[in-house]
Amino acid sequence: MRIPARYPAPKYSDPEDLRLTQIIKPSTSARRGGVNVVGVPFDGAVLGRRGAAGGPAAIREAMSAFSNYNVELALGLEGAQVLDLGDLSVEQSDTLMAHRQIEAEATEDIGPGSLLVVLGGDNSVSLPCIRAASKRLGRLGLVVIDSHFDLRGEIDGKPTSGSSYGLAVRTLKSLDPRRVVEIGMHGFLNSKSYHETAEELGITVVTAREVYEKGPEAVARQAYAKASRGAEAVYLSVDLDAVDIAYVSGVSAPSAGGISADQLFRLVYEISRNDKVKCADVVELAPTLDPSGRSARVAASVVTYIIAGHAARGSSDARKRRRS
Ligand SMILES: [Mn+2]
């Protein structure tokens, strides 16, 4: 069952400046060729502070402040086909049941000819969505942007917000860990054991510092190349806690010393403009933990840059970049 998406009405009407939310159309089913957005308001498996169930609504509200044009990219979204499929109605008290629901629903929304963007929700929702992508799309690559490895096992027989990528690589034959790239780890936020787990599995780790040193575009191109090699589709998972606490405090586990908001936008845009990216999630926004609304603005921007990346596919600029 779906709860229809709600966007605030635009505060003014100017035909020369159509709002982003005016091009997003509500729909009851996903469509081929475009971007489909779905909200998963679930935070029952978060290891730290709750609040991510409010993520989808806060992201949509923040999106209503945006235009549909990006000056730096000289890219307009007026012709983009973006559908909002609403929010899944998810059981909050039973993670295993919630995940079964999410996997079943996401399987309907994912397809080889479109891009599904999932609005979380805590980071645990990535697991059923990756499973659904594997079921629908076959051999997967995975690019994660996160301060944490999230390679834990189950706790008391249940997945948590810290286990999505660990459980995905251990349980899905379609996801070769050599096609998994994790970007953004930094500081005193991870254990030595999980760093070693990543290395033993063959996962590529790119630290926040490397993003600063190499630049987000170079990191994104290398990550996509690795994730897409031999894959039929690439899944992009964005935990907003990858971003420094100065920009994003409204997450369960805010991080000091993370990448900047701009670096995250450039990473997701550069990755999303590649054809094989057919599913993405943006998780962990907990709006009640940041009453300033700053974190929601960053989350909404990430979603918009993913939509922009899809809109830029096949453009001469993109072809030029791929040749170089
Ligand atoms: Mn995280």
Side-chain angles (χ1 to χ4, degrees):
M1 205 188 79
R2 310 259 167 131
I3 302 144
R6 288 231 301 266
Y7 289 92
K11 293 206 171 59
Y12 55 87
S13 173
D14 177 355
E16 300 299 322
D17 180 14
L18 213 57
R19 304 280 84 196
L20 175 65
T21 48
Q22 288 176 287
I23 65 158
I24 301 175
K25 307 290 179 221
S27 174
T28 51
S29 59
R31 204 182 296 161
R32 272 181 71 88
V35 179
N36 301 294
V37 176
V38 69
V40 184
F42 173 77
D43 62 5
V46 76
L47 284 176
R49 305 181 297 165
R50 290 183 76 149
I59 290 172
R60 290 191 186 98
E61 194 186 331
M63 283 171 87
S64 70
F66 296 161
S67 75
N68 66 43
Y69 178 75
N70 184 298
V71 173
E72 294 157 298
L73 302 171
L75 178 73
L77 300 177
E78 64 285 338
Q81 190 195 100
V82 186
L83 300 181
D84 194 322
L85 310 177
D87 285 344
L88 305 187
S89 173
V90 185
E91 168 64 44
Q92 293 293 325
S93 58
D94 183 339
T95 298
L96 290 172
M97 188 190 283
H99 280 197
R100 278 196 297 273
Q101 291 173 333
I102 296 164
E103 183 178 336
E105 301 265 356
T107 303
E108 287 182 28
D109 297 340
I110 294 169
S114 56
L115 169 63
L116 180 71
V117 181
V118 177
L119 315 178
D122 70 38
N123 207 162
S124 83
V125 309
S126 302
L127 176 62
C129 294
I130 293 168
R131 286 205 172 120
S134 161
K135 210 186 284 177
R136 286 290 280 116
L137 304 169
R139 286 188 312 280
L140 281 189
L142 171 65
V143 179
V144 173
I145 307 174
D146 197 323
S147 284
H148 311 94
F149 292 115
D150 290 349
L151 293 172
R152 295 174 204 272
E154 293 175 336
I155 295 179
D156 299 328
K158 285 183 225 155
T160 68
S161 61
S163 66
S164 283
Y165 316 122
L167 294 177
V169 293
R170 290 186 194 100
T171 59
L172 291 174
K173 276 205 198 80
S174 60
L175 183 62
D176 183 336
R178 287 169 298 184
R179 288 194 302 263
V180 177
V181 183
E182 296 202 273
I183 302 168
M185 291 74 221
H186 64 94
F188 290 90
L189 299 172
N190 292 281
S191 73
K192 183 182 184 196
S193 172
Y194 288 124
H195 192 185
E196 287 170 351
T197 301
E199 284 174 349
E200 282 158 18
L201 286 166
I203 291 172
T204 302
V205 176
V206 184
T207 64
R209 192 165 297 183
E210 287 174 88
V211 176
Y212 277 93
E213 286 169 358
K214 293 182 185 167
E217 283 80 11
V219 166
R221 281 195 290 270
Q222 285 168 10
Y224 179 77
K226 189 142 255 179
S228 60
R229 196 167 299 138
E232 285 157 292
V234 171
Y235 188 108
L236 170 64
S237 184
V238 181
D239 180 342
L240 290 159
D241 73 23
V243 180
D244 191 88
I245 190 171
Y247 310 88
V248 171
S249 57
V251 288
S252 171
S255 68
I259 60 173
S260 74
D262 179 61
Q263 286 170 331
L264 178 59
F265 304 156
R266 288 159 62 186
L267 282 168
V268 298
Y269 175 71
E270 199 60 36
I271 293 166
S272 304
R273 54 195 288 163
N274 294 290
D275 292 338
K276 282 186 186 174
V277 178
K278 299 185 193 300
C279 195
D281 65 49
V282 181
V283 297
E284 289 287 327
L285 173 69
T288 50
L289 300 176
D290 177 12
S292 77
R294 212 174 291 175
S295 308
R297 279 274 179 131
V298 173
S301 301
V302 171
V303 172
T304 309
Y305 274 95
I306 292 172
I307 293 169
H310 183 271
R313 289 182 191 181
S315 70
S316 58
D317 181 34
R319 279 196 297 272
K320 223 181 300 162
R321 276 162 181 275
R322 272 198 291 273
R323 272 205 304 271
S324 63

